[in-house]
Amino acid sequence: MDHVKVKIINKSHHPLPSYATPSSAGMDVRAFLDAPVTLAPMQRALIPTGLYLQLPHGYECQLRPRSGLSLKKGITLVNTPGTVDADYRGEIGIIVINLSDEPFVINDGERICQMVIKEYSHVTWDEVKRIDTTERGDGGFGHTGVD
């Protein structure tokens, strides 16, 4: 497992994002709020974190839903995974949506998502007239069925 050093400014009064277990891929991120935010069913909101990152070139920060909040409360992220590019220097904000049929309250310090830091590659296109065929071909969108 690689270790990557990432510069971070924490303007909140909460701990830095951290791994819940030694084998966790994602770090829990906390809401940084002046007052609780109540999300009505199907409502979305941008939740501040107080965090500012300087990622190394070639890395991105992915923001993902927390599985427990998604399953038990219907709380997820609108754009998932959300991507923070290495050259972004603003506050990390989390776009949260309530997919349940009940209001949900987000409190200051609540763990609202997970953060994964990933290396990425840039593509150089090789424009051609034909690509290799495969057994699957152009089958997609559930063409193999559900059984």
Side-chain angles (χ1 to χ4, degrees):
M1 173 178 0
D2 291 336
H3 285 71
V4 177
K5 191 169 278 203
V6 175
K7 294 180 180 180
I8 188 168
I9 295 171
N10 184 2
K11 293 187 177 181
S12 81
H13 50 268
H14 304 298
L16 291 175
S18 61
Y19 300 101
T21 69
S23 293
S24 294
M27 297 172 272
D28 291 331
V29 177
R30 298 176 184 275
F32 179 45
L33 300 170
D34 294 328
V37 172
T38 300
L39 290 176
M42 297 308 296
Q43 184 180 11
R44 62 189 178 272
L46 181 63
I47 305 299
T49 65
L51 302 174
Y52 300 76
L53 303 179
Q54 182 178 325
L55 295 163
H57 180 73
Y59 285 83
E60 66 166 323
C61 167
Q62 296 179 357
L63 301 167
R64 303 175 181 182
R66 294 190 69 229
S67 59
L69 278 179
S70 295
L71 176 64
K72 297 173 186 172
K73 301 293 184 177
I75 303 303
T76 190
L77 307 187
V78 176
N79 61 327
T80 183
T83 297
V84 179
D85 295 311
D87 58 352
Y88 176 69
R89 293 297 184 267
E91 180 178 11
I92 304 299
I94 313 301
I95 307 170
V96 179
I97 189 167
N98 180 358
L99 297 179
S100 78
D101 56 0
E102 298 179 6
F104 181 79
V105 178
I106 300 173
N107 293 296
D108 181 51
E110 186 168 354
R111 294 177 296 153
I112 55 167
C113 75
Q114 292 187 39
M115 174 187 289
V116 176
I117 307 298
K118 294 292 294 174
E119 192 171 15
Y120 63 86
S121 299
H122 272 186
V123 169
T124 301
W125 295 112
D126 183 11
E127 194 168 6
V128 297
K129 298 281 186 217
R130 192 177 66 207
I131 56 177
D132 295 342
T133 60
T134 66
E135 185 177 326
R136 178 178 179 171
D138 63 358
F141 302 103
H143 79 283
T144 60
V146 293
D147 293 330

